[in-house]
Amino acid sequence: MTRRLTTAQAIIQFLKNQFVSRDGKRNAFFAGCFGIFGHGNVAGIGQALQQNPDFPYYLCRNEQAMVHTAAAFAKMNNRLRTLVCTTSIGPGATNMVTGAAGATINRLPVLLLPGDIFARRNVAPVLQQLESPASQDASVNDCFRPISRYWDRIQRPEQILTALPEAMRVLTSPAEAGAVTLALPQDVQTEAYDYPEEFFRPRIWVIPRARADEAILKQAADWMRSAQRPLIIAGGGVIYSEATEALNSFAARTGIPVGETQAGKGSLNFDHPQSVGAIGVTGTSAANQLAASADLVVAIGTRHSDFTTASTTAFQNPDVRMININVMEFDASKHSALPVVADARATLEELSTALSSYRVAESYASEITRLRSEWTNEVDRIYARRHGPPLSQGEVIGTLNSALGARDVIVCAAGSLPGDLHKLWRTRDPKNYHMEYGYSCMGYEIAGGLGVKMADPSREVYVLVGDGSYLMMAQEIVTSLQENVKLNIVLFDNHGFSSIGGLSRACGSGGFGTKYQYRDPANAGAAIPVDFVANAASLGAHAVRARTHEQFSEALADLTKQPRTSVVVVETDYDDRVPGYDSWWDVAIAEVSESESVQQARARYLEGKKKERYFWPSEH
Ligand SMILES: Cc1ncc(C[n+]2csc(CCOP(=O)(O)OP(=O)(O)O)c2C)c(N)n1
Ligand SMILES: [Mg+2]
């Protein structure tokens, strides 16, 4: 039995029949397809989507944005569901490159179907084709190769019989997940083939919970039993693996403190007695002081980015040992750690049994309690400030934190907000905090918020976005109105790049090239006024401005009552920054310079860099 379909029709038919199952729960893997049509997909994938109305099609406003939306959707679904993205050839396709890199870095599955130039070639160069005098087997879609976990170009209709199962293997793999790109030449999309009926049978991809090697797990338990100052780092893997309950009870029973990465924030509620909050460059004083003297670091589901390890300066105990629990061998092996290549939840359950009688010493437990309460006071202080107007970003975060419900989700990505939120946000649910900080991509915020709300319409979604990020990508407000997906957007207007401006000053460069100011000498120094309320309203959103603390609280209450996407523009102080706590970040400074401030920054830099270290294998 065969079914005669075009390549595009067969792809959609196949995708509709892919399911995943974990812990006995099953769901369709794809929730539909985002896209923008052009000549490279309108008559192929576009036609196929039209005749498959049970596979929803969502028109977005920018191809980069839709990949962020798909990645956010996948993240909110703990990678058990995602969206497909279709584009035309050329610029429509390459617009997805940034989103694809973001998805792969964050280990989030997204399926990208860029249109491609004619496989038949006789009419080349087609509109938007990049020609190569060296090869006819090249197109702009080759840009996706290094940023995709699986990449293929479909030159014949029957190639999808082998390409699509590979795409599914990678998308559903806890270790491999990332962007998958299938470049689809415009003519091949429309060509018919007699596909075997079996190809369209529903297929269930079982998401495994890999178990650790017995000997390695025993060694991990031995190391933990003998540790005096153990510290757990919870990364995104804890949340994706739905290991938060297991971590909660493991930490409570053993007394081991838990610091969280950006992706792992929310693993424990902020008031859990072992929660020491954010760790690393944007970490709390509690987590970073504990990290400095830890003799054992148990890193679960983290990539050990420089923000987490404070550019390798976080762990200063010369005898520190590391255990990495990770589904990915690559991450598990970092920093000469004992590599426990396994699922976070399964491993925590096994370690719980192995360490049933272990508990940290009383002196360590009381130190943790003291550091926690010092940090609580610091957050209270920042939340309670009444600065300005313009308001301090910290107090705005405090007002938001008090106003929002535990199940509400904040979505954010770049600027000074990620650092402040990582430190200050008090999480009360594993999905309360959605930060894209693997790629820290300006423009992710609103597009990502759309994906989060689509993934769980029962939650209120608050997008926190800086004025710089908003100016890069605000247009998905229109998509949110089209789809009736309500977003609450809080736009922090500090008239420029507070984060990178501050970084530039710290590097001795005085904020050069980071200010939104007129070039015209008559207006030099004056900020360029942008009416964000009018801008958001012009896109169809309900929009208001808040300058004072009271106005902001009222605006927030009003936002929640609105039926459609709403924006509150709150002015914040460009210069008033939340400090760093006991940490360091390696941003290399010019070795020679004419500027005295750069020379001073270089001297400070060399001092800080001395703490960077390598981690060599432990003597077992
Ligand atoms: C796409 C992209 N381009 C550049 C950067 C580098 N960058 C990081 S933060 C930032 C400024 C963000 O400005 P804004 O959104 O206003 O936030 P603020 O720093 O004022 O908090 C820049 C340019 C980035 N992260 N992403
Ligand atoms: Mg700004």
Side-chain angles (χ1 to χ4, degrees):
M1 283 286 284
T2 57
R3 214 191 298 186
R4 191 157 178 81
L5 295 172
T6 67
T7 306
Q9 292 160 359
I11 289 172
I12 302 302
Q13 195 57 35
F14 175 90
L15 297 179
K16 281 199 304 189
N17 283 296
Q18 304 307 304
F19 297 82
V20 294
S21 144
R22 183 164 73 177
D23 306 327
K25 274 183 277 170
R26 178 192 307 178
N27 58 263
F29 188 59
F30 298 103
C33 180
F34 264 81
I36 292 185
F37 295 140
H39 61 97
N41 61 340
V42 69
I45 291 286
Q47 190 280 329
L49 286 165
Q50 188 186 22
Q51 71 175 50
N52 282 284
D54 54 337
F55 197 69
Y57 174 66
Y58 304 101
L59 167 61
C60 67
R61 298 298 177 280
N62 175 300
E63 293 90 348
Q64 178 187 327
M66 75 178 166
V67 186
H68 295 324
T69 302
F73 181 89
K75 181 173 169 119
M76 193 63 190
N77 277 298
N78 291 332
R79 315 195 295 185
L80 299 173
R81 267 197 121 188
T82 190
L83 290 155
V84 184
C85 298
T86 172
T87 74
S88 190
I89 72 167
T94 51
N95 262 359
M96 290 201 293
V97 166
T98 299
T104 296
I105 286 168
N106 285 293
R107 313 276 164 81
L108 296 169
V110 293
L111 177 58
L112 311 181
L113 303 177
D116 211 326
I117 53 174
F118 274 66
R120 176 158 42 90
R121 293 180 178 169
N122 64 321
V123 290
V126 295
L127 177 66
Q128 301 173 323
Q129 175 169 347
L130 176 96
E131 289 177 276
S132 162
S135 168
Q136 290 186 52
D137 184 23
S139 85
V140 293
N141 285 336
D142 289 85
C143 294
F144 288 94
R145 283 178 189 263
I147 52 171
S148 298
R149 292 313 210 120
Y150 180 81
W151 184 99
D152 215 340
R153 184 178 277 128
I154 305 301
Q155 302 283 19
R156 298 168 61 94
E158 63 267 44
Q159 285 177 347
I160 62 169
L161 296 172
T162 49
L164 282 171
E166 285 305 301
M168 283 306 298
R169 173 184 62 78
V170 171
L171 288 167
T172 59
S173 158
E176 291 287 306
V180 166
T181 303
L182 298 180
L184 302 175
Q186 179 181 338
D187 51 346
V188 180
Q189 288 180 44
T190 63
E191 285 167 15
Y193 181 77
D194 295 309
Y195 288 98
E197 205 47 67
E198 294 84 347
F199 186 56
F200 305 116
R201 263 189 207 149
R203 175 153 182 196
I204 301 160
W205 299 79
V206 177
I207 312 292
R209 289 199 179 276
R211 302 270 156 181
D213 175 80
E214 243 175 78
I216 292 180
L217 192 77
K218 184 180 172 304
Q219 182 153 31
D222 288 348
W223 281 15
M224 288 173 90
R225 239 177 258 115
S226 65
Q228 304 300 307
R229 304 181 62 82
L231 171 71
I232 290 172
I233 299 178
V238 172
I239 294 177
Y240 303 147
S241 150
E242 293 167 0
T244 55
E245 277 301 311
L247 180 63
N248 191 307
S249 49
F250 183 76
R253 223 171 28 69
T254 58
I256 303 177
V258 178
E260 295 170 333
T261 72
Q262 285 278 17
K265 191 170 163 81
S267 292
L268 295 187
N269 286 356
F270 83 101
D271 53 0
H272 187 290
Q274 271 67 47
S275 167
V276 289
I279 195 159
V281 179
T282 52
T284 69
S285 52
N288 287 342
Q289 286 177 38
L290 290 171
S293 58
D295 62 351
L296 179 68
V297 174
V298 183
I300 313 176
T302 174
R303 298 181 303 128
H304 285 287
S305 87
D306 64 346
F307 262 74
T308 299
T309 67
S311 303
T312 74
T313 65
F315 317 113
Q316 287 297 318
N317 186 328
D319 301 320
V320 67
R321 298 201 278 199
M322 233 185 261
I323 298 171
N324 288 341
I325 302 169
N326 208 295
V327 282
M328 200 180 191
E329 195 177 63
F330 172 65
D331 290 321
S333 304
K334 286 176 180 171
H335 298 315
S336 309
L338 179 66
V340 182
V341 183
D343 172 74
R345 194 174 92 185
T347 308
L348 279 165
E349 284 164 1
E350 287 178 346
L351 280 173
S352 254
T353 314
L355 292 168
S356 56
S357 54
Y358 170 83
R359 197 168 167 81
V360 298
E362 263 318 306
S363 56
Y364 191 49
S366 51
E367 186 181 336
I368 294 161
T369 307
R370 176 178 57 78
L371 288 169
R372 268 179 51 77
S373 94
E374 283 171 17
W375 179 249
T376 302
N377 294 340
E378 176 64 356
V379 178
D380 285 344
R381 180 188 72 79
I382 293 171
Y383 276 12
R385 284 186 64 202
R386 292 295 173 260
H387 174 88
L391 305 176
S392 71
Q393 186 158 282
E395 72 181 287
V396 175
I397 290 172
T399 308
L400 267 165
N401 194 271
S402 322
L404 266 53
R407 292 192 77 253
D408 297 350
V409 187
I410 59 161
V411 181
C412 184
S416 60
L417 277 165
D420 291 1
L421 289 166
H422 193 210
K423 287 175 240 188
L424 301 178
W425 192 257
R426 290 172 163 168
T427 50
R428 285 167 284 166
D429 179 279
K431 287 292 176 193
N432 191 205
Y433 183 89
H434 180 117
M435 182 67 66
E436 189 285 286
Y437 211 63
Y439 211 33
S440 188
C441 184
M442 289 171 77
Y444 175 91
E445 298 88 344
I446 294 171
L450 188 63
V452 171
K453 180 71 176 174
M454 286 176 75
D456 189 349
S458 75
R459 297 181 189 245
E460 283 293 324
V461 173
Y462 290 79
V463 173
L464 277 50
V465 58
D467 54 318
S469 266
Y470 179 89
L471 285 175
M472 270 201 197
M473 208 171 278
Q475 75 292 332
E476 296 312 307
I477 286 176
V478 183
T479 310
S480 82
L481 296 168
Q482 163 192 293
E483 298 300 331
N484 200 18
V485 173
K486 194 214 163 178
L487 301 177
N488 305 287
I489 301 172
V490 183
L491 196 165
F492 289 69
D493 185 10
N494 55 18
H495 312 289
F497 299 167
S498 171
S499 53
I500 301 299
L503 183 61
S504 166
R505 285 192 297 281
C507 296
S509 295
F512 167 73
T514 63
K515 298 215 173 88
Y516 286 160
Q517 290 177 353
Y518 293 104
R519 182 171 298 280
D520 172 10
N523 285 315
I528 302 171
V530 179
D531 188 342
F532 287 108
V533 173
N535 183 286
S538 78
L539 298 177
H542 168 78
V544 293
R545 187 184 317 280
R547 271 185 63 75
T548 65
H549 179 74
E550 289 68 30
Q551 283 172 0
F552 181 62
S553 298
E554 279 165 29
L556 267 186
D558 171 58
L559 225 61
T560 320
K561 285 190 215 125
Q562 296 300 324
R564 69 179 197 280
T565 291
S566 301
V567 181
V568 51
V569 179
V570 57
E571 283 183 64
T572 49
D573 193 329
Y574 181 91
D575 294 306
D576 186 83
R577 306 284 302 276
V578 175
Y581 299 88
D582 307 288
S583 198
W584 192 70
W585 186 32
D586 190 336
V587 175
I589 310 286
E591 196 167 352
V592 291
S593 164
E594 295 167 3
S595 153
E596 209 173 296
S597 57
V598 172
Q599 290 162 14
Q600 286 162 359
R602 173 77 186 176
R604 284 196 303 275
Y605 169 72
L606 290 177
E607 208 40 50
K609 197 171 179 306
K610 282 183 187 159
K611 283 190 165 179
E612 286 184 7
R613 58 176 297 191
Y614 293 92
F615 301 92
W616 305 116
S618 311
E619 291 178 52
H620 295 164

